[in-house]
Amino acid sequence: MSVYKPSAAQETGTSRRRAALLAGCAATVLFTVAACGSGGGTASTTTKDGFAQAPQKDGALTVWVDATRMDAAKQYQQLHPGVKMNIVSYDGNANGSNYLQTKVQLFNRTGKGWPDVVFSSQNNEASWAVDAGFAAPLNKGLIPDATLGGFAKGANDVCTVDGTLYCLRNDLSQAVLWYNAPLMKKFGYTVPTTWEEYQKLGEKVAKEHPGYLVGDAGDSFTPEIYLWASKCGANDITGPKSVSVNTTSEACTKMAKLLDVLIKNKSMSISGVFSTDFAKNEADKVLLMPGPAWFGGAVFKDGLKTPAKQIAVAPIPQWKGETSPSTGNVGGGTWLLSKHSAHIKAATDFLKWVTTDDAYQGEKAPGFPAYAPAAENWLKAQAASGYFAGDLTALKDASSQVWSGWGSGQFSQEAIWAATVKPGMTQGKTIESLLPAWQDSIVKYAKSNGYKVSQ
Amino acid sequence: MTVAHSSAGSVRGRPRGTSRESRAGVAFVAGYVLLLIAFGVLPTCYAIYFAFTNAGGAFTGFTNFVTTAQDFRFIDSLGHVALYLVFWLLSLVVFVVVLALLLHRLSSGPVSQALRFLYYIPGALAGAASVLVWLFMLDPTVSPVSSLLETLGFHTFGEVIAPGNLALLFTIIAFWTGAGGWIVVMYGALNNIPKDVMEAARIDGANGWQTAWRVQIPMLRKWIVYMVILAFAGGAQLFVEPQLLSLASTGVAGRDYSLNQLTYDFAFQMNNINGAAAVSVELLVISMSVAGVFVARSGFFDAD
C-alpha cells in the first residue's frame, strides 16, 4: 500500500532537487539498459525427453507443496533417506491465489529459483505454465506410457496442451450426490436419480420439512457442480488459446431454472458450504448435497462435523432421457515438473511416486486418487475407515463420467462466477436472468487473456 | 502512512543556523535521502522504463498505456478508486479536524490522554491485520456488533460485501486504521497555535465555534493539505483491503476492484509487467499532479 507514498509528497521540492532527481532517473535508465543488455544465459543445455534440459547437478531436490501434501513429501523422504530434499510449504495456489504463477514470473526474470517439482490445487496450471516455459513435457520420455495409461480416463486432460502432457493429476474431483442416509430414511424419501426427481424432492422438502436442504449454490464452484453436470457449454476450451462460450443454451437454462426454483423455496442454500453462516445455521440441515469427491472429508467430516455412518454417496442425477449421468469436476490438484530442474532424475522419481504409489495415494491421500490402481485401494481404505454409510462405488463410477465439454482455461471460471453471478443471487435475482451477464463476463475475461472466443 | 510524518518538520521554514548546525542537518537527512533513492526513486525510474518498453526491452512509446486503458476492467476500477477517494478524503478532512478540535478542547487532562491513546491504537496495527479485524466485524454470524448489522438489514457476509457497499466499507476500514494517527498530528498542530492568538480571540468575544472556524482551522490549513496529499496518494493505491476481502469472500468482492489490483493482475496473471508498470506510472502522475495543485494553491511552502 505504500510503494510510492513518500515520493509523491517529497518530489515537489526545489528545482535543483528536481534536476538531481531527473539526473538520477536518467542514470538509472542507462544502468538498467546496460544491465539488460549484458544478461542472457550461456549454460549449455542438452535436448532430451522433448525439451532442452539444464546441466544436471548434485544437490537437494526442491519440492513445493501445500499443507495437505506436506505429509506426502515427508513420507517420500522417510522411505527414501538417500535423497536430499528441500521441502517448501506454500499455499498450494488455494482459492486461485496465483502464488506459483507470480513466483515463476519472477524466477523467469531472475533466471533462478524454480522449484523442481510443485503441487498446485488448481487445475488450470498447465494453461499458463507452458506459456511461461516452466512445465516440462512428461509424455516425451520422462514418464513411461505404461504409467500414464494407469490414470483414470480423462484425468490428465487438464494437463494436456496441444497433445503434450505437462502435469500429472493428483486427485479427481468428480461430482456425486452426497446424502444423509438416516435422515432420508426417517423422512421416507428415496434418492433421486434424475434432475426432475431432484427438483420434485426439493419442492417436497420445502413443504414438508422447511429448513432442510437438498443442496447449496452459494460457492464460487457452483457452476462446476450443477451447470457442468447439465452439459452447459460455458467454458469449452477448444484449443490452446480458443474457447467457446454459450451460457444461454437450453442445457444451461434448464439447470438455472431448477436452481432458481429450489433457491426460491429455500430448499437450496446460497450461503456457500465454507461460509460461517452455513456451518452455524445449516450444518445439521443437509439432506442432500451434490458436490465433488472431496466433500466427504473436507466438508462433512471436517467442516460440518457430521457424525459417522450418516453420509452416503449416490451418482449425480441425470436429465430424464439420458443414458448415463455426466458430472462436473471441482478442482483436484496437479503436480508439475520444472523444465529448469537440475535434478530431473530425482524429480521424476518423486513425481511418479507421489502420484501413483499406494503408500501415499492408496492409503493416506485425502482425495480420490487420479491414478486408477491407487484409487481402488483408496476406496477400500475409505470403506474400512467406517465413516461413510454404504459403499463408495458411485465415486468410482463418476470418475469416468466427467463431461469433456468444459475445460481449464487461463482465466478463472470460479472468480468470474463469484464476481458476476453471486452478488446478483445475494440481491435476489434469478440465476436464469444472470446468464447473459455471466456470458458477457466470461467473454471479456477470455479476450483479455488473449483467447479467441466463439459464442 | 506514517513514513513521511517525520520529514514534515524539515519542510517548515526555519531561520538559518550556523554552518556546523547545517552540516549536522545534512547528515541527519542524508540517511533518509539515500533510502529514498534506493527504495523510492530508483524503483520508480525502473517502472517508468518498463512502462515505455516491451518485454524485449524495445521502446514502444505509449502502447502499454493504450493497451491497458483499453482493458475492459480499467474504467471500472478507475471509477471505484475515484469514488473511494471522494468518501475517504471527505471523511478524513471532516472527522479528523472535528475530532482533533474536540480533543483539544478537552485540554490535557487524563481524558484527553486516554483518547489520544485510543485513537492511535488502530494505526499501530499493520494494514493487513486491521483488514482481518474488519472481516470479523462485517460478518453478521461472528461479529461483536451483529445486532447492529441485523438492524441495518444485513444477515449474511455476502449481503454486507455487496459491490455497491464496497467503497463505503473500504472508507470505514481506512478511516479506522489511518485516521487516529492524523488526529494526533492535528492535535499537535493545534497545540502549536500561539496562546496569545487564542486569548485575543477570546477577549474579542469569539465563542468556541467561532474560534475553531475563524482561527484554528485556518491555522491548520497546511496540515490539512499535507494530510490530503498523503491520503490521496495512499488511497489511489488501494490494494490490501480489496485483495483480502476478495480472498475472504472467495472472489465476490472481485480481484480487480482497484487500479492497483489490476496492476497486480497484469503483472502476474497476464504476464504483462510492462502494462502493469504503465498503470502504476499513471497512478504516480495523478498523485503527483494532485499534490502539485494542492501545494500551489495552499501556499504549502510559504514561510510562517
Side-chain angles (χ1 to χ4, degrees), chain B residues 52-97:
Chain B
F52 287 97
T53 50
N54 63 14
F59 181 73
T60 55
F62 284 93
T63 316
N64 290 323
F65 294 88
V66 175
T67 325
T68 48
Q70 281 171 344
D71 189 277
F72 75 102
R73 295 165 291 181
F74 186 82
I75 297 291
D76 286 350
S77 40
L78 193 66
H80 293 154
V81 173
L83 185 67
Y84 162 74
L85 278 175
V86 170
F87 284 167
W88 159 231
L89 294 180
L90 275 181
S91 62
L92 199 61
V93 170
V94 173
F95 291 115
V96 163
V97 172

Side-chain angles (χ1 to χ4, degrees), chain A residues 1 5, chain B residues 1 81 84-85 88 230-238:
Chain A
M1 211 173 146
K5 223 173 288 166
Chain B
M1 195 131 286
V81 173
Y84 162 74
L85 278 175
W88 159 231
L230 286 193
F232 185 95
Q237 295 172 51
L238 181 69

Side-chain angles (χ1 to χ4, degrees), chain A residues 238-426:
Chain A
T238 49
K241 277 284 182 185
S242 54
V243 60
S244 151
V245 186
N246 181 3
T247 67
T248 48
S249 68
E250 206 212 331
C252 306
T253 50
K254 65 182 175 184
M255 182 54 85
K257 279 181 188 156
L258 178 148
L259 295 173
D260 287 334
V261 169
L262 301 182
I263 289 169
K264 199 169 169 216
N265 73 22
K266 295 199 170 17
S267 61
M268 183 170 280
S269 166
I270 54 163
S271 285
V273 288
F274 291 110
S275 70
T276 43
D277 34 293
F278 194 94
K280 192 178 168 192
N281 304 324
E282 295 166 325
D284 53 353
K285 299 286 185 192
V286 177
L287 189 62
L288 298 160
M289 177 82 80
W294 49 265
F295 264 28
V299 172
F300 295 111
K301 197 173 170 193
D302 301 336
L304 307 179
K305 313 271 183 226
T306 311
K309 294 282 177 204
Q310 292 196 355
I311 297 299
V313 59
I316 198 132
Q318 60 197 72
W319 289 109
K320 221 177 203 167
E322 286 186 332
T323 49
S324 75
S326 11
T327 174
N329 169 31
V330 188
T334 51
W335 292 91
L336 293 89
L337 196 151
S338 168
K339 248 184 182 177
H340 310 281
S341 174
H343 317 100
I344 287 181
K345 195 181 167 298
T348 314
D349 279 348
F350 174 77
L351 187 66
K352 260 197 291 196
W353 180 89
V354 81
T355 48
T356 63
D357 201 283
D358 273 336
Y360 176 69
Q361 287 290 1
E363 287 162 27
K364 301 259 173 73
F368 187 97
Y371 188 66
E376 294 277 351
N377 290 321
W378 183 86
L379 281 169
K380 279 182 207 150
Q382 293 293 315
S385 78
Y387 178 73
F388 296 102
D391 66 49
L392 298 170
T393 37
L395 276 176
K396 191 186 162 201
D397 296 342
S399 69
S400 57
Q401 289 168 341
V402 175
W403 182 57
S404 59
W406 187 297
S408 287
Q410 212 162 336
F411 48 95
S412 162
Q413 279 293 335
E414 295 179 0
I416 295 173
W417 178 272
T420 316
V421 184
K422 181 85 200 290
M425 285 167 71
T426 312

Side-chain angles (χ1 to χ4, degrees), chain B:
Chain B
M1 195 131 286
T2 50
V3 182
H5 290 178
S6 55
S7 67
S10 65
V11 176
R12 291 170 65 83
R14 289 274 167 203
R16 279 174 180 278
T18 64
S19 65
R20 218 176 93 186
E21 273 176 340
S22 62
R23 268 204 303 276
V26 169
F28 276 122
V29 174
Y32 176 74
V33 170
L34 276 180
L35 290 176
L36 176 68
I37 290 174
F39 299 108
V41 178
L42 291 184
T44 307
C45 297
Y46 200 36
I48 294 171
Y49 163 74
F50 268 142
F52 287 97
T53 50
N54 63 14
F59 181 73
T60 55
F62 284 93
T63 316
N64 290 323
F65 294 88
V66 175
T67 325
T68 48
Q70 281 171 344
D71 189 277
F72 75 102
R73 295 165 291 181
F74 186 82
I75 297 291
D76 286 350
S77 40
L78 193 66
H80 293 154
V81 173
L83 185 67
Y84 162 74
L85 278 175
V86 170
F87 284 167
W88 159 231
L89 294 180
L90 275 181
S91 62
L92 199 61
V93 170
V94 173
F95 291 115
V96 163
V97 172
V98 168
L99 285 171
L101 285 168
L102 285 176
L103 191 64
H104 192 251
R105 274 192 84 80
L106 288 172
S107 143
S108 56
V111 181
S112 165
Q113 276 179 14
L115 280 179
R116 264 181 289 160
F117 179 65
L118 270 181
Y119 287 150
Y120 192 71
I121 289 179
L125 281 173
S130 46
V131 179
L132 288 178
V133 169
W134 277 93
L135 291 181
F136 280 100
M137 295 289 281
L138 297 174
D139 187 342
T141 41
V142 291
S143 174
V145 292
S146 55
S147 53
L148 180 67
L149 291 170
E150 300 267 348
T151 321
L152 292 170
F154 300 118
H155 305 292
T156 61
F157 188 53
E159 287 170 3
V160 176
I161 56 159
N165 302 344
L166 289 179
L168 198 59
L169 291 181
F170 295 143
T171 304
I172 296 173
I173 297 175
F175 188 84
W176 184 78
T177 328
W182 284 116
I183 293 171
V184 175
V185 170
M186 291 294 160
Y187 176 83
L190 281 170
N191 276 342
N192 262 356
I193 297 175
K195 283 221 167 62
D196 43 350
V197 175
M198 297 293 286
E199 211 172 295
R202 204 164 44 242
I203 292 169
D204 284 348
N207 58 25
W209 164 253
Q210 285 167 325
T211 318
W213 186 248
R214 297 190 186 275
V215 179
Q216 290 174 304
I217 293 180
M219 294 187 90
L220 281 183
R221 194 188 58 196
K222 285 187 180 179
W223 292 99
I224 295 174
V225 168
Y226 177 59
M227 175 174 79
V228 167
I229 290 172
L230 286 193
F232 185 95
Q237 295 172 51
L238 181 69
F239 181 78
V240 176
E241 289 87 351
Q243 192 74 5
L244 281 181
L245 199 57
S246 169
L247 280 178
S249 64
T250 51
V252 174
R255 298 175 56 93
D256 31 37
Y257 180 85
S258 75
L259 281 175
N260 241 4
Q261 281 182 296
L262 192 58
T263 312
Y264 184 74
D265 237 31
F266 276 128
F268 298 118
Q269 168 81 35
M270 293 153 70
N271 195 16
N272 183 0
I273 299 266
N274 304 86
V279 179
S280 54
V281 166
E282 282 164 356
L283 275 174
L284 177 72
V285 170
I286 292 170
S287 291
M288 284 179 68
S289 312
V290 169
V293 169
F294 270 98
V295 167
R297 288 286 170 92
S298 66
F300 192 75
F301 288 116
D302 294 352
D304 284 333

